[in-house]
Amino acid sequence: MLSTTISDPHLRKIFFVVALSALFTGLYIIVTRRKIITHVMGFLVIENGVFVLSMAVGNEMPMLVNTGILLDIFASIFLLGIFVNKIGDVMKEQDVEQLSNLKD
Amino acid sequence: MALFYSGMMGYYLTGAIIISIILFFNRKIWVNYLLSFLFVALQWAFTVYEYHHLNTTELTYFTPDSLAIIFLVILSIVCVPAIWHSHIYCNKKQDTPRHRGIYFSAMVVLLTALSAAYLSNHIAITWVFVELTTLSSSALIYHRRNNRSLEGTWKYIFVCSISITLVFIGILFLSIAVQQTGGNNLFYRQLFDGASGMNMLWLKLAFLFIFTGYTSKASLVPMYTAGIDAKDKAPSPASALFSSVLLNVGFIGVFRFYHIISPTSIFPWANKIILISGVLSVFVSTVYMLRVKNLKRMFAYSSVEHMGLIMIGLAAGGIGRYAAILHLVLHSFAKPALFFQMGQVYRVYKSKSIYDLGDYFKYNLSGALVFLFAFFVVTAMPPSGMFVSEFLIFRSLFESGNVWILVIVLLLLTMIIWSFGKNIFKMLFIKPVNFNDVIVEKISPVESLSQFVLLGMVIYIGINPPAELVDFINNAISNLPK
């Protein structure tokens, strides 16, 4: 329905719709699941959605900017991986219920 | 080699990267001192150079405009005590050389990324450096390496990564809007010029996404949660940076886009969104401050309140915009003082809970004076410069006809001052229960010196703002419609 309502010559609709559904799937996975590693997967689904969205837009950024973005996303996934491991070392079950000590 | 033909920016970035790499691998303490001193010198040289080269683009992507210079100067001032207190912190805690190296390396990367994000003139370059601040601050938050700091780090990095992804989606929507005007580059200047020809639907979507994303950095309502845990769990000098210069980067992200859409027809709508977010921030921080028991978290919520006021001032327009930026400047000097002092409180009582603290005058006279002084400054009582800026924000709310919002905000502020005062005075004057004061650490008054200087600056700038600062602020808001 969305693809019929939006008419824009600069937008590739099929990519756009796939991207939006990937975004919402990712957010849904993060909100509903309890395991930490699944949260990271949800984050990756969102990142993939963003990639498809950039295909839909079809506007290229300068090479230097793209390199920066790539490095940043690489580093953030890398760090998330490190911290998932640390949480795995400290806690027996990788469950977000255990991450609720910080409160007022 | 083209890096070095275009001014100081190239030297600064390469120098800072080299310093942070050596800090990371270095294990000797005197090298650590030397390198952090070198970095401060480099930061100051860079700031002075950019101050004298206003509006000259370097390396294509960096232009020091007036707003960037204001924030760069603030950063250079705040980073000196932050690095000094970090050394005190690491010495007291007897950190292993490895942890110390990681800490200082991450701090240098954080400060560099912040400077570059202020100066960037391309929306995606700002994004890159803001993401870099998330990554480097996660290393700072994890410094204590226990379960709770792990939890804080995880929440911070996850929430911030997602919000920064939202900003990126906003940038993609913006690039759809840009294509309709025929252009395809995303420099702020071109975006500002072409904004009125863009499709308003895409521009609205882009604003919503970018605003929501940057609120995680600016501690505003939708995404403020991660920042609170981060400021609570990070070492105090790092929290001082998070609640001053890191808030400024969130503000600059929002403000640049706000500036782009200011000539378009959706400007009043954007003002409404910002106003709602600001009022909700003040409300949420009031609710939490009335029941918070951890003093450091209370200071973090106080930042949420001040950012809310700043956004209200920005949205109200008129004199409020000037007051908003002035308030941001003053807040970035006042809040680090509180956080630096909080580090000393923790060393005395080994606790941050208000139940364990008390009678601070007896244990650390100069520190207690800092708190007393900071209470008047942060709650904006008259000698404080924040009184001036808050007064102007309220005036602009009155002039723009939002009297009911003014009434609500004033009521909320009264409650905030009450709970702030209740906790601070409890800590200063009432005897703590079950506190064994036989082995209390003596804290040298010299360590409170930087806090007095910062708080004194808040009062001085508020009462007698330097002409350059006024010019820079007026210049930064000069393109916005009346």
Side-chain angles (χ1 to χ4, degrees):
Chain A
M1 200 178 83
L2 195 70
S3 59
T4 51
T5 48
I6 294 175
S7 62
D8 192 321
H10 298 291
L11 193 67
R12 279 182 272 179
K13 275 180 213 154
I14 186 80
F15 284 113
F16 187 72
V17 174
V18 170
L20 278 191
S21 63
L23 284 177
F24 288 120
T25 314
L27 285 175
Y28 178 73
I29 289 175
I30 290 172
V31 172
T32 52
R33 303 304 153 95
R34 292 164 53 126
K35 281 223 190 297
I36 288 163
I37 190 74
T38 327
H39 284 202
V40 180
M41 285 173 186
F43 180 67
L44 286 175
V45 171
I46 292 182
E47 290 289 353
N48 288 344
V50 171
F51 172 72
V52 178
L53 187 63
S54 69
M55 305 269 286
V57 171
N59 183 8
E60 280 204 6
M61 291 201 197
M63 188 62 202
L64 201 64
V65 178
N66 274 334
T67 321
I69 293 167
L70 180 76
L71 275 178
D72 265 357
I73 291 178
F74 171 73
S76 67
I77 297 292
F78 185 66
L79 272 183
L80 281 174
I82 288 177
F83 282 112
V84 167
N85 269 336
K86 298 252 185 205
I87 292 176
D89 292 345
V90 176
M91 292 158 194
K92 289 282 170 291
E93 280 178 78
Q94 289 204 339
D95 195 322
V96 282
E97 293 291 307
Q98 307 210 347
L99 294 177
S100 53
N101 292 317
L102 297 181
K103 52 191 163 200
D104 300 300
Chain B
M1 276 292 106
L3 205 58
F4 297 103
Y5 296 132
S6 53
M8 187 75 186
M9 192 76 207
Y11 290 110
Y12 174 69
L13 286 180
T14 14
I17 290 167
I18 291 169
I19 288 176
S20 85
I21 290 173
I22 302 175
L23 274 172
F24 190 83
F25 290 107
N26 159 55
R27 298 286 177 266
K28 288 195 179 60
I29 194 156
W30 65 267
V31 182
N32 201 311
Y33 284 132
L34 179 76
L35 284 174
S36 38
F37 178 76
L38 262 182
F39 176 74
V40 171
L42 181 69
Q43 177 75 38
W44 270 101
F46 176 65
T47 307
V48 171
Y49 177 89
E50 298 298 343
Y51 181 84
H52 289 291
H53 291 75
L54 202 60
N55 294 325
T56 41
T57 302
E58 294 170 35
L59 293 180
T60 328
Y61 293 113
F62 300 98
T63 311
D65 61 352
S66 16
L67 194 64
I69 294 287
I70 298 173
F71 290 149
L72 197 60
V73 171
I74 293 173
L75 183 127
S76 305
I77 292 173
V78 173
C79 83
V80 178
I83 286 178
W84 179 45
H85 282 278
S86 301
H87 278 297
I88 294 175
Y89 177 86
C90 288
N91 286 342
K92 290 287 168 194
K93 216 173 136 272
Q94 310 263 313
D95 276 333
T96 60
R98 183 169 160 268
H99 291 174
R100 196 184 178 114
I102 293 175
Y103 179 88
F104 279 96
S105 170
M107 188 170 259
V108 166
V109 173
L110 174 65
L111 293 170
T112 316
L114 286 168
S115 310
Y118 295 154
L119 259 63
S120 116
N121 62 7
H122 189 284
I123 195 162
I125 293 286
T126 314
W127 183 89
V128 168
F129 283 106
V130 171
E131 173 76 14
L132 197 57
T133 60
T134 309
L135 304 179
S136 50
S137 37
S138 67
L140 294 178
I141 304 165
Y142 189 55
H143 184 69
R144 280 193 189 128
R145 288 176 172 70
N146 54 30
N147 274 3
R148 288 165 153 255
S149 69
L150 183 61
E151 182 186 331
T153 318
W154 174 258
K155 285 180 177 169
Y156 184 76
I157 192 168
F158 200 75
V159 173
C160 278
S161 299
I162 288 182
S163 9
I164 290 294
T165 310
L166 292 183
V167 175
F168 195 75
I169 295 168
I171 294 175
L172 288 176
F173 284 145
L174 180 65
S175 70
I176 298 176
V178 169
Q179 283 178 336
Q180 282 155 352
T181 60
N184 68 346
N185 63 40
L186 295 171
F187 288 97
Y188 289 122
R189 190 75 242 166
Q190 273 96 328
L191 288 174
F192 178 71
D193 293 338
S196 32
M198 293 176 194
N199 182 336
M200 289 306 142
L201 172 70
W202 293 120
L203 216 51
K204 269 186 179 178
L205 274 175
F207 177 78
L208 278 182
F209 274 96
I210 290 178
F211 183 74
T212 315
Y214 278 129
T215 50
S216 66
K217 290 288 165 190
S219 279
L220 283 165
V221 143
M223 298 285 188
Y224 68 97
T225 46
I228 304 288
D229 291 339
K231 282 164 204 160
D232 181 20
K233 285 300 135 203
S236 301
S239 321
L241 288 180
F242 294 163
S243 65
S244 57
V245 285
L246 199 61
L247 298 187
N248 294 353
V249 93
F251 177 81
I252 214 167
V254 172
F255 185 82
R256 298 261 195 232
F257 198 68
Y258 181 74
H259 187 241
I260 290 169
I261 59 172
S262 64
T264 64
S265 57
I266 62 167
F267 189 57
W269 171 84
N271 272 332
K272 267 197 203 94
I273 301 282
I274 291 180
L275 190 66
I276 291 169
S277 163
V279 174
L280 281 179
S281 304
V282 177
F283 175 72
V284 163
S285 74
T286 314
V287 171
Y288 279 105
M289 276 178 81
L290 287 174
R291 57 187 288 268
V292 70
K293 295 296 170 242
N294 177 336
L295 212 54
K296 210 170 172 188
R297 284 178 87 85
M298 188 183 80
F299 297 152
Y301 281 115
S302 162
S303 293
V304 176
E305 170 230 330
H306 284 288
M307 284 310 287
L309 284 176
I310 288 162
M311 285 300 153
I312 291 171
L314 192 66
I319 189 76
R321 293 187 188 126
Y322 169 83
I325 296 179
L326 182 66
H327 197 77
L328 198 60
V329 172
L330 299 173
H331 176 260
S332 352
F333 290 134
K335 206 40 76 63
L338 274 172
F339 275 104
F340 292 144
Q341 202 55 43
M342 197 59 217
Q344 300 178 13
V345 171
Y346 191 76
R347 268 156 56 198
V348 171
Y349 297 100
K350 304 279 179 273
S351 165
K352 290 177 285 194
S353 163
I354 190 69
Y355 296 124
D356 304 329
L357 312 180
D359 219 1
Y360 194 47
F361 263 110
K362 188 174 161 193
Y363 304 114
N364 183 1
L365 176 65
S366 54
L369 284 175
V370 169
F371 269 121
L372 200 55
F373 197 31
F375 167 68
F376 290 108
V377 169
V378 172
T379 54
M381 302 222 179
S384 156
M386 285 187 175
F387 174 75
V388 180
S389 52
E390 278 191 15
F391 183 76
L392 290 177
I393 289 174
F394 297 148
R395 203 182 106 191
S396 72
L397 266 181
F398 198 79
E399 282 171 351
S400 62
N402 295 310
V403 183
W404 280 108
I405 290 177
L406 177 64
V407 172
I408 293 169
V409 168
L410 282 176
L411 278 175
L412 293 173
L413 276 189
T414 317
M415 290 191 248
I416 285 176
I417 292 175
W418 174 73
S419 70
F420 206 110
K422 186 187 72 175
N423 288 337
I424 290 278
F425 290 127
K426 152 91 173 60
M427 182 187 70
L428 291 180
F429 298 113
I430 296 178
K431 287 228 179 303
V433 276
N434 302 330
F435 178 60
N436 179 15
D437 58 0
V438 182
I439 38 157
V440 171
E441 187 186 334
K442 274 276 160 235
I443 290 174
S444 151
V446 183
E447 289 179 28
S448 302
L449 185 68
S450 59
Q451 287 87 304
F452 281 116
V453 173
L454 287 170
L455 292 172
M457 277 172 67
V458 175
I459 294 177
Y460 178 77
I461 294 176
I463 292 172
N464 179 21
E468 291 87 358
L469 179 67
V470 176
D471 283 349
F472 277 136
I473 296 178
N474 281 329
N475 195 3
I477 58 175
S478 61
N479 279 328
L480 297 174
K482 286 280 166 277

